[in-house]
Amino acid sequence: MNTQTFSILVIDDDKSMRQSLLDLLEAAGWQAVALSRATAAVDRMAEIQPDVILSDVRMPGMSGLDLLAALDKNTAPPLVLISAHGDIPMAVKAIQDGAYSFVEKPYEPRRLLTILRHAAEQNRMKQSNTRLKERLFKLSGLDRVLLGQTDQVAHLRQDILDLAETGATVLIEGETGTGKELVARALHDLGTDAGAPFLALNCAALSQNTFETEMFGVAGETEGRLLTASGGTLFLDEICSCPLAVQAKLLRVLEDKHVLPVNAQHPVPVSFRVISATNEDVTLAAQEGRLRQDLLFRINTMILTLPPLRQRRDDLMLLTAHFLDEFARVYETTSPEISQDDLAALLAHDWPGNVRELRNVCERRVLSNRRGCGSMAQAIRSDQHLDDVPDTLREAVAAFERELIAKAVKAHKGRMDAAAEALGIGRRTLNEKIVKLGLDKNALL
């Protein structure tokens, strides 16, 4: 059952018809204002602010078609035309010129109410999307980094601001895809040493055999990664997945604040702000022997817990609008509107992959919208990805290459040599593909 109260502006020079329409609309729960002239409607549009306009076609002075031409297509509510003198060419032209619908008199009340309700619902959704985009445009700083308007996210932003300048050791807890590295970078960027290096280590990928060579360096040959990042932030991602032997080496560095390069005679001092992250229960990991207790005590001075997306559903629309606009810019296309069916699909999904999953869904939605098809429900279904593939093999390969190159250029912040190396191709080949695929490097950054 529809529980929303919509407003409508009725324009008809026939007094008895105006009253009949008012009686019908008010009985159906509408807030209705009636005028006898379209010129008066133009003057009072800002005052009345209707969700939909219902206007007769033939009226003295300004006709319904003239009114349609005078309305601002970007801001005006949908216009439904009604006439006893309608014909098919007139109806077709009215729809082509932007009218929402055309109804002939005598009208069937239930059908008219259905048309008007759909028009009003569409207008409300459009206004909601516009307000979201305006809000996104006005956001800056940490609001843009950690997007959301729920109390949980607002409190998290405040905690980040409070901790950023302290230099305290922080442990970030949260499910996969909740934005743990994003928060770690925000803590670094908002801190007193924002210009210093930020070294992110995937602890699950660290090897006991190569750790000292890679991290401490080799005397007279290579400088270790920990030395190059000294003075900045050391981010230990997925700390519970770190091999125990490597945990011991990390703990020694954190306690002694020195590293001993391979073949070196003397240790070299290092200084870090340590931020760690995990999607596991650290207490359980320590009890099971997968995380050293002494290391845990070194990294959990302060704890930030990131909420999963399913616990902040009020942010879904804002995040979705943001990601749709982001990928619309990347792929140089228009951002799809969020329909009521799309909203229902978003709210019904559990989002096990959290914000990262939502971002991927929005990318698929934009890609399908470029071809004039798809919906949010289809983008959510993982098996729907096959339907996003172009019809021909050549188009599919081009689309795939375009997506990979765009991601590589963005990931390496426009450094083309690094992007080419990551893609496994030469710099010249990368440049040729960018031109051939019609990619705009500047638009990707």
Side-chain angles (χ1 to χ4, degrees):
M1 179 181 294
N2 178 45
T3 59
Q4 297 186 81
T5 299
F6 295 116
S7 62
I8 185 169
L9 173 59
V10 178
I11 311 169
D12 199 307
D13 65 321
D14 186 321
K15 184 176 180 180
S16 62
M17 177 57 70
R18 283 201 311 274
Q19 190 58 52
S20 174
L21 289 168
L22 282 175
D23 292 343
L24 172 67
L25 291 162
E26 290 174 352
W30 287 70
Q31 294 179 347
V33 175
L35 299 173
S36 60
R37 293 290 185 270
T39 50
V42 174
D43 295 335
R44 296 184 58 188
M45 194 65 66
E47 170 197 343
I48 301 172
Q49 294 186 332
D51 292 306
V52 62
I53 303 170
L54 176 63
S55 174
D56 195 6
V57 173
R58 297 190 179 183
M59 295 178 291
M62 177 181 278
S63 70
L65 295 175
D66 293 334
L67 173 62
L68 176 63
L71 294 173
D72 185 335
K73 300 295 189 296
N74 295 319
T75 59
L79 174 63
V80 176
L81 293 171
I82 185 169
S83 176
H85 310 284
D87 55 35
I88 292 177
M90 179 193 293
V92 170
K93 186 177 187 310
I95 299 298
Q96 289 176 340
D97 289 344
Y100 182 85
S101 188
F102 190 98
V103 180
E104 288 189 90
K105 299 176 184 177
Y107 58 85
E108 200 282 308
R110 188 174 301 174
R111 178 173 177 270
L112 177 62
L113 288 172
T114 298
I115 292 172
L116 294 174
R117 178 168 55 81
H118 288 169
E121 288 173 346
Q122 178 177 301
N123 187 47
R124 287 276 181 96
M125 188 65 67
K126 179 181 177 181
Q127 290 178 337
S128 176
N129 290 339
T130 300
R131 286 193 296 270
L132 284 174
K133 290 176 181 179
E134 289 174 350
R135 172 176 166 79
L136 289 170
F137 181 78
K138 294 176 182 176
L139 292 176
S140 61
L142 187 56
D143 284 330
R144 276 201 175 276
V145 173
L146 194 63
L147 196 62
Q149 55 192 2
T150 58
D151 290 342
Q152 294 163 296
V153 177
H155 292 154
L156 179 59
R157 281 196 293 262
Q158 188 58 56
D159 288 341
I160 292 171
L161 290 171
D162 292 342
L163 289 173
E165 295 185 356
T166 67
T169 300
V170 179
L171 173 64
I172 305 171
E173 298 178 325
E175 295 180 6
T176 298
T178 49
K180 295 185 289 296
E181 182 170 350
L182 183 146
V183 170
R185 288 187 180 275
L187 286 167
H188 171 78
D189 292 341
L190 296 169
T192 56
D193 297 319
F198 178 92
L199 176 61
L201 298 181
N202 179 359
C203 292
L206 296 178
S207 167
Q208 175 185 357
N209 297 329
T210 61
F211 181 82
E212 292 188 4
T213 301
E214 182 181 357
M215 297 298 157
F216 299 169
V218 179
E221 297 182 20
T222 60
E223 188 175 18
R225 295 179 67 187
L226 293 181
L227 288 173
T228 62
S230 184
T233 297
L234 176 62
F235 176 50
L236 304 174
D237 194 15
E238 301 305 343
I239 187 65
C240 291
S241 299
C242 187
L244 286 172
V246 174
Q247 289 184 35
K249 297 178 188 294
L250 279 173
L251 179 62
R252 188 168 69 247
V253 172
L254 299 184
E255 289 181 336
D256 299 343
K257 296 182 174 56
H258 285 80
V259 299
L260 181 64
V262 177
N263 300 329
Q265 298 297 316
H266 304 287
V268 180
V270 290
S271 175
F272 304 108
R273 178 186 192 169
V274 179
I275 301 176
S276 306
T278 181
N279 60 5
E280 296 189 51
D281 182 332
V282 290
T283 302
L284 179 61
Q287 291 174 350
E288 294 176 349
R290 294 183 290 109
L291 178 64
R292 293 177 60 117
Q293 287 274 7
D294 44 7
L295 178 59
L296 175 59
F297 296 148
R298 280 282 177 185
I299 64 176
N300 70 347
T301 303
M302 299 299 296
I303 299 176
L304 289 177
T305 302
L306 308 192
L309 187 54
R310 62 182 175 276
Q311 292 181 6
R312 43 182 293 218
R313 291 186 180 274
D314 288 347
D315 285 335
L316 266 175
M317 281 288 286
L318 186 66
L319 289 165
T320 300
H322 170 69
F323 290 139
L324 290 176
D325 283 350
E326 175 185 323
F327 286 113
R329 289 192 297 271
V330 169
Y331 294 109
E332 299 179 340
T333 186
T334 57
S335 178
E337 296 291 342
I338 304 173
S339 69
Q340 289 184 312
D341 288 342
D342 288 335
L343 179 58
L346 290 166
L347 293 173
H349 192 54
D350 283 339
W351 301 107
N354 293 291
V355 177
R356 182 184 299 152
E357 180 186 4
L358 176 61
R359 192 172 188 274
N360 292 337
V361 165
C362 289
E363 183 174 12
R364 290 202 293 270
R365 179 68 189 95
V366 168
L367 287 171
S368 63
N369 187 65
R370 272 203 316 182
R371 297 186 298 278
C373 61
S375 67
M376 199 61 74
Q378 292 171 336
I380 289 172
R381 294 199 295 269
S382 59
D383 59 348
Q384 185 63 28
H385 186 72
L386 293 176
D387 294 339
D388 289 339
V389 177
D391 294 332
T392 68
L393 180 60
R394 179 175 297 178
E395 291 172 342
V397 171
F400 186 61
E401 285 187 336
R402 189 178 291 109
E403 183 176 354
L404 284 181
I405 291 173
K407 287 184 176 180
V409 171
K410 286 190 295 181
H412 294 281
K413 297 180 172 60
R415 299 191 302 275
M416 303 307 287
D417 287 332
E421 182 179 356
L423 292 165
I425 59 178
R427 170 68 182 272
R428 181 177 177 181
T429 302
L430 176 58
N431 290 337
E432 290 174 349
K433 285 185 176 294
I434 286 176
V435 173
K436 181 179 178 181
L437 297 169
L439 286 169
D440 183 353
K441 174 187 168 185
N442 293 328
L444 299 175
L445 302 176

